[in-house]
Amino acid sequence: MARQTATTEGELGTLTRVAHLLAPGETAAGVARAIENAAPKAGPLTPAQLVAMYRLMYLSRSVDDREIVLKRQQKIFFQISCAGHEALLVAAGMAMKPGYDWFLPYYRDRAICLALGNTAEEQLMQAVGAAADVASGGRQMPSHWSRPDLHIVSTSSATATQCLHGIGCAEAGRYFRNHPAAAKDIAEKNGSDYRAYHPVSWQGDEVTYISIGEGSTSQGEFWEALNTASNAKLPVVIVVEDNGYAISTPVEVNTPGGNISKLVASFPNFFFAEVDGTDVEASYAAMRDAVAYCRAGNGPALVHGHVTRPYSHSLSDDEKQYRCDEERDADSLRDPIAQLQMRLLREKILDAESINALEKQVDDDVQRAADVALAAALPTVESIPLHVYSEVVDPAGPAFATEVHPAMDDTEHTMADLINHTLHEEMKRDERIVVYGEDVADVSRDEHLKNGTLKGKGGVFKLTAHLQRDFGSDRCFNSLLAEASIVGRAFGMSVRGMKPVVEIQFFDYIWPAVHQMRNEISVLRWRSNGQYSCPMVIRCPIGGYLTGGSIYHSQSGESIFTHTPGIRVVMPSNAADAAGLLRTAIRCDDPVLFLEHKRLYREAYGRAQYPGPEYAIPFGKAKIVRPGKDLTFVTYGATVPRALQAADRLHREKGIDAEIIDLRSLSPYDWEAIAESVRKTNRCIVAHEDMLSWGYGAEIAARIGDELFHDLDAPVRRVGAMDTFVAYQPVLEDEILPQPEDFYRAMEELAAF
């Protein structure tokens, strides 16, 4: 087909501005956006559009090249390029709407960020790690994009995790469309409701962009994202940037058959396009059609663009060690910038002089941006602890120290009952809350919900029973059997202002989600310098003492998560504390891991009357469940009733009076309560259900020895499980896990020291 070369009078005016000097204060992205908005939405690209795209592509390459120079001069510390991907990404940026659509890019996506409105100066500020870096304030490597006003969500170095974030982001947009009242702002900023600090932005036809390198399509998060996007017909455009390599691994080794398009072709409801990603015309047509398909509500799209990688994976890599010269030379012939430059000359859209002028202006602009970045102030040491946790809602503060509401009757409820009741109350109060996980819904097929023919499941422990019946299938629903998907989608939802309260069915199966928890959820607020956050609640049954729970239904491991900054960790031991701590977890502004001991769900110990719809307990406030004067026993979870049993026996038989402290909250924890008790008793035991070595109690014991040494009359003791796994046979289980007899013996020995 013949290329269109005619140029209108209006386009010539724009063309002149782009090819030569821009108006003062005008960015290349602004010009590109103006051209795109004025241009037809179908048909070949106009000359003005081609020039604008060339300028953005060249700008991206120029920033890459400037960073390479700075890295070799040791003025920046890392460099990874977008080179070879520019045509596909500029086309993607011009097909979408910044600040309207949502963007989950990855580290090669410099060009789309420039097309959306990110500037060269902003990108170079990140390269030098300046305090004024808009993406992270010097906390992230270069090419880790973030701009809230453009809806570019902060990215990490982890590959494929952003796929699930984009799914949750799209789900949130659809949810607010169907529940517009949930998006209303909470006017009163009293420090006790996350909603007051999370204004919601949504559009009825927004689209979410997710990009990924071809190598990362081997990650499970990619396939989990495809599953949900397909099933839910979500408006997401997934762009696979295929440059033939995953660092040094060629595509045929990484992907069966060497072509990801062939592998995903059977997913229903998708629009698929496989294009030459070095051709701006083909790339723009594919992106335009994909976005239109999604915006019309037809379902998701996947655009597979074949691009090149003219530079090594990063400046820390040398591709000459694993790519032959012939292959690299062939790639250079497909360079998208060279191809578009030749087209501009061939079709007489620009002459050589105009192209040289355009490129010189871009290079000069980038040099000025680099000079500004190199002269910029660096972050202060005092800024390091900022934004680890929310600084507007303090879950350990007095706003969450509420009174017990007088009970309407004297009925005592189990922990399971009050967790379920609290979930009902909070969902009724806050329409932003959704509950999902494996088997948490009453039923998955709505016809059974409507006709009431089935009782419904409501969780394997029945803690979410009737939530779906009472609040609908879009507020309580079953997830994929994929823990990373559960948590990763919650990331995207909470970034948009929702409050997902998700369930991991058993702690033993939380490990696929740990990548999302440690590398994404915990660090989002800090890595974005406080611009993004993802408050959510991850409910998780934990622990043993089950008589037959065995290896995969008895695990503990809370210390792994208390060792992760950015996540709050709580573990109640009784019904009233479960209700109060869960309410705080839901209303606070941080991600919370809410650990529920399975053995305590329906135990006689710890039953309580209903404490009222506003009852909350601050995090980091321990409870003395048994006062004493002879020794301090610090514990939590299912070891609390066992410690009480041992202490009561010790008092009866030996007259020794142990003070039992139930921590309730593990991160933060109540150091003041521990210290006050140890100063009184001068002896301390720290106990937990997890194995003794490397357990949670080690940190507390070490701190007591460090800070309270002069108050001690005996060494600090620890009691925990054997350093092994929990066995199925009850005789073995009883020996492996700490029992009341173990606590009794430790207390007796310490008191006699």
Side-chain angles (χ1 to χ4, degrees), residues 96-99 101-105 112 116 150-153 209:
M96 300 188 73
K97 303 177 182 179
D101 296 323
W102 288 80
F103 301 89
L104 284 298
I112 187 175
L116 295 173
L150 300 176
H151 292 174
I152 301 172
V153 180
Y209 165 96

Side-chain angles (χ1 to χ4, degrees), residues 305-353:
H306 292 274
V307 295
T308 67
R309 199 188 78 185
Y311 301 164
S312 294
H313 166 73
S314 73
L315 214 58
S316 304
D317 172 53
D318 182 3
E319 67 172 20
K320 293 178 182 178
Q321 296 176 351
Y322 53 85
R323 295 186 73 186
C324 65
D325 290 342
E326 291 80 6
E327 180 184 347
R328 296 172 62 245
D329 290 343
D331 252 13
S332 68
L333 297 176
R334 296 181 58 232
D335 187 288
I337 292 178
Q339 288 188 73
L340 183 52
Q341 183 187 89
M342 291 305 297
R343 178 178 174 183
L344 294 175
L345 291 168
R346 183 175 64 251
E347 299 183 5
K348 296 182 170 47
I349 295 171
L350 291 179
D351 57 22
E353 183 181 356

Side-chain angles (χ1 to χ4, degrees), residues 55 196 234 556 573:
R55 191 186 197 287
L234 292 172
S556 297
S573 70

Side-chain angles (χ1 to χ4, degrees), residues 397-413:
F400 291 97
T402 62
E403 298 295 327
V404 175
H405 187 276
M408 298 298 293
D409 58 55
D410 59 0
T411 303
E412 290 195 336
H413 301 274

Side-chain angles (χ1 to χ4, degrees), residues 139 173-174 211 266 394 402 533 539 556 722:
R139 296 177 173 198
R174 175 178 291 177
S211 63
S266 61
D394 180 9
T402 62
S533 62
R539 293 182 41 254
S556 297
M722 293 175 64

Side-chain angles (χ1 to χ4, degrees), residues 239 304 308 353 417 536 586 667 732:
V239 177
H304 176 196
T308 67
E353 183 181 356
D417 291 337
M536 68 179 72
I586 290 172
S667 179
L732 301 180

Side-chain angles (χ1 to χ4, degrees), residues 587-644:
R587 296 186 185 184
C588 87
D589 194 31
D590 295 310
V592 180
L593 178 60
F594 192 85
L595 299 174
E596 305 163 2
H597 203 289
K598 301 185 291 291
R599 179 61 189 264
L600 298 177
Y601 273 150
R602 291 176 173 85
E603 288 260 294
Y605 167 80
R607 296 190 179 202
Q609 297 181 24
Y610 168 64
E614 294 298 320
Y615 181 63
I617 297 172
F619 292 170
K621 303 299 179 186
K623 183 179 182 180
I624 297 177
V625 295
R626 187 188 191 282
K629 58 181 175 55
D630 296 322
L631 63 91
T632 298
F633 194 98
V634 180
T635 191
Y636 54 90
T639 49
V640 171
R642 287 158 178 76
L644 285 169

Side-chain angles (χ1 to χ4, degrees), residues 545 633 639 642-643 645-647 649-650 685-688 717-722 733-750:
Y545 299 112
F633 194 98
T639 49
R642 287 158 178 76
Q645 182 182 339
R649 176 189 165 197
L650 189 67
I685 296 171
V686 185
H688 51 66
R717 283 284 301 270
R718 290 178 296 130
V719 183
M722 293 175 64
E733 179 190 51
D734 287 348
E735 188 66 25
I736 291 165
L737 297 179
Q739 303 296 334
E741 179 62 32
D742 300 311
F743 298 154
Y744 176 92
R745 187 165 53 250
M747 293 180 194
E748 182 183 30
E749 292 172 357
L750 190 66

